[in-house]
Amino acid sequence: MQELKVPDIGDYRNIPVIEVLVCAGEVVAVDQPLVTLESDKATMDVPSVFAGTIREVLLKPGDRVSHGSVIAHLEFDAPASNASASVLAATHTGTAISDAATAFSTPARPQTPKQRTESTASEANAGALLADRSEVTVDRARAGKAAAGPSVRKLARELGVDLSKVAGRGRNARVVREDVLAHVKTTLSKPAQAAAPVEARGTQPDILPWPQVDFAKFGPVERRPLSRIRKISGANLHRNWVMIPHVTNFDQTDVTELEVLRTALNRESKAGAAKVTMLAFLVKACVAALQQFPQFNVSLDGQELVQKRYFHIGFAADTPNGLVVPVIRDADRKGVAAIATEMAELAGLAREGKLTPAQMQGGSMSISSLGGIGGSHFTPIINAPEVAILGVGRASTQPVWNGSAFEPRLILPMSLSWDHRAVDGAEAGRFLAWLATLMADFRRVLL
Ligand code: CAO
């Protein structure tokens, strides 16, 4: 007999079970969903890691679970496949740039590739149009009580549909996929609200609808659905861009000496050891700057500032499916080499789509480095609820006047975007100048 337990789901505790998908006597396969959990953000199926026969189900809808809660007893058939261990992690990879495990979400039920392409494309269009008709604000509490499966909830969320307003035509008035799509269709067929008079504007942005273009008129095109990560990161980036009053400061720093040290360290390092990267030094320098300017190690929570006493640094990683932001935890207690090793591991997991929500949460601030790719300054979008993000460009050799002559120096461009609700311009200027000082003379990080 084997206990089937809730795996590590990040910092979530006491999450309600909204659906039990198996019953006693049922034969389950590896990866078959057992229960559906729902956080305040999204829903997630917990798959079985063993094949066998369910002997007893210990949960019912409404129960609350945390990591380790027993879901069911299973009469054991065969050991878990290696692949299954990563299933949960893989379902989470869409967390992307959002801090709070936004991607605590459900993989869609299997569809044929054709169905998937068609439905995703039409749903994306419907979502864009529905946004234009503004389905007002979704009442999350009421929508949460509507009877609907996780894939339907996910679809509703993506289309901005308030489930509590959708009449369910499934068994026991359950809302099914077709109900959501019919609701969208009905909403779209209603005439768009007349533009608000000028004097009424000011509380809502008066934005033109997204242009509807038949691109095929201009030449051959193909349509591809957005990846899950891109959909989720796009929504989070959009929210952060719209809601946070961003300001970006630009500066540069002389990393000539640091680069000499970095290359020497890499020359001396043992075969197989992770390369010490410029980014690892930047993580350490950001920790030192946050210690010097704790007003950047905060999050806004209503009318309060949450001062963090930990130093976790996120870094943007480019993956085949889009952008994700793994977090180096307790970077203040780690050396540069250990940070470089951990970054290489996390970047590897990110590219394989195996990061867990816990590995993408809790950042103090983030770094987005395009140094390996090119370019100088840019304006990174803050990874809410953090209040600052450092953008790093490619270091280049430039002539610098030393008082008597020009000499070649390696200059690293840095851009700091910060939330003007949490910090002021003078503080941001000092923070970035201090970061530049640290990178130019890394011994100061030890002080
Ligand atoms: N200036 C000059 N060269 C740099 C540099 C910099 N600032 N940063 C890195 N490099 C060099 C490295 O030294 C390395 O050169 P060698 O191979 O000769 O040693 C090369 O560029 C490649 O570096 P890397 O990208 O493998 O390593 P990294 O530590 O700089 O970055 C990671 C790791 C995961 C951040 C990176 O792979 C990545 O995904 N970058 C993209 C981040 C991104 O998408 N940001 C935008 C987010 S907003 O859309």
Side-chain angles (χ1 to χ4, degrees):
M1 201 67 83
Q2 179 71 39
E3 283 184 336
L4 296 174
K5 294 183 178 173
V6 174
D8 184 358
I9 43 179
D11 289 341
Y12 290 95
R13 301 212 196 323
N14 289 324
I15 310 166
V17 175
I18 58 162
E19 206 165 6
V20 176
L21 304 163
V22 290
C23 57
E26 190 172 335
V27 175
V28 294
V30 170
D31 295 348
Q32 183 173 331
L34 301 169
V35 288
T36 305
L37 311 181
E38 186 169 74
S39 75
D40 53 346
K41 298 261 166 32
T43 57
M44 178 186 72
D45 284 348
V46 177
S48 177
V49 289
F50 297 104
T53 306
I54 299 287
R55 286 297 166 220
E56 189 186 3
V57 180
L58 285 87
L59 297 177
K60 57 182 184 323
D63 286 349
R64 289 181 168 266
V65 295
S66 305
H67 178 199
S69 304
V70 181
I71 300 167
H73 290 146
L74 168 136
E75 200 167 315
F76 192 75
D77 269 353
S81 72
N82 283 342
S84 70
S86 64
V87 164
L88 185 77
T91 65
H92 282 305
T93 53
T95 300
I97 205 155
S98 159
D99 176 80
T102 317
F104 184 51
S105 68
T106 311
R109 297 268 183 260
Q111 289 178 310
T112 65
K114 184 165 180 291
Q115 276 173 334
R116 191 181 290 278
T117 312
E118 283 173 2
S119 61
T120 314
S122 63
E123 284 159 22
N125 285 338
L129 287 165
L130 195 66
D132 176 35
R133 299 287 196 278
S134 40
E135 169 98 301
V136 224
T137 316
V138 174
D139 180 339
R140 300 254 168 240
R142 284 182 54 218
K145 285 186 189 132
S151 61
V152 174
R153 286 178 187 283
K154 180 167 179 278
L155 175 66
R157 241 191 337 273
E158 284 172 1
L159 296 179
V161 169
D162 185 345
L163 272 181
S164 66
K165 294 189 180 141
V166 181
R169 287 172 302 175
R171 202 153 50 94
N172 297 332
R174 201 173 168 76
V175 178
V176 294
R177 186 181 181 80
E178 288 66 33
D179 297 328
V180 174
L181 295 176
H183 177 83
V184 171
K185 209 169 162 189
T186 315
T187 310
L188 291 180
S189 61
K190 287 181 193 156
Q193 282 171 357
V198 174
E199 61 276 15
R201 291 177 196 164
T203 50
Q204 295 287 324
D206 188 14
I207 296 173
L208 288 176
W210 196 257
Q212 298 297 303
V213 178
D214 176 10
F215 297 97
K217 274 198 315 204
F218 307 114
V221 291
E222 66 180 76
R223 283 185 178 269
R224 284 192 304 276
L226 289 175
S227 71
R228 259 186 86 245
I229 291 188
R230 200 171 285 281
K231 274 197 244 172
I232 295 168
S233 66
N236 281 289
L237 287 164
H238 187 194
R239 179 203 55 208
N240 299 348
W241 176 247
V242 169
M243 292 184 68
I244 300 174
H246 281 74
V247 183
T248 306
N249 288 17
F250 303 121
D251 205 343
Q252 56 187 25
T253 181
D254 185 334
V255 289
T256 313
E257 264 86 46
L258 191 57
E259 182 62 9
V260 171
L261 171 65
R262 192 183 78 84
T263 41
L265 288 173
N266 283 334
R267 247 194 334 268
E268 292 160 13
S269 67
K270 295 199 190 98
K275 219 171 38 174
V276 175
T277 59
M278 189 57 79
L279 196 48
F281 282 106
L282 280 158
V283 167
K284 208 63 195 160
C286 279
V287 169
L290 287 173
Q291 285 167 335
Q292 183 80 7
F293 299 97
Q295 60 270 43
F296 284 81
N297 196 5
V298 299
S299 281
L300 283 163
D301 188 10
Q303 297 303 307
E304 287 181 342
L305 277 176
V306 180
Q307 180 68 57
K308 298 165 192 177
R309 303 285 180 213
Y310 51 79
F311 298 89
H312 306 333
I313 309 292
F315 65 99
D318 185 28
T319 80
N321 285 322
L323 174 71
V324 291
V325 187
V327 174
I328 306 275
R329 302 192 100 74
D330 299 313
D332 55 321
R333 294 191 228 149
K334 293 172 183 164
V336 173
I339 289 172
T341 306
E342 194 175 331
M343 273 184 146
E345 285 165 8
L346 288 170
L349 287 174
R351 289 189 184 116
E352 290 164 26
K354 288 186 181 165
L355 285 175
T356 62
Q359 288 170 312
M360 294 184 273
Q361 288 171 26
S364 298
M365 67 174 285
S366 296
I367 305 177
S368 173
S369 172
L370 292 174
I373 299 168
S376 55
H377 292 100
F378 59 105
T379 54
I381 297 178
I382 295 166
N383 184 15
E386 297 162 17
V387 299
I389 181 167
L390 180 73
V392 182
R394 189 168 186 79
S396 62
T397 304
Q398 292 177 20
V400 175
W401 185 251
N402 66 8
S404 52
F406 281 105
E407 60 173 321
R409 306 290 297 177
L410 188 64
I411 304 298
L412 181 75
M414 299 191 299
S415 315
L416 183 78
S417 294
W418 43 278
D419 185 337
H420 212 331
R421 297 169 303 175
V423 280
D424 291 329
E427 293 170 323
R430 286 187 205 108
F431 182 95
L432 193 54
W434 183 238
L435 200 58
T437 306
L438 294 172
M439 290 299 285
D441 183 357
F442 210 76
R443 293 170 304 177
R444 290 173 188 272
V445 169
L446 304 172
L447 299 177

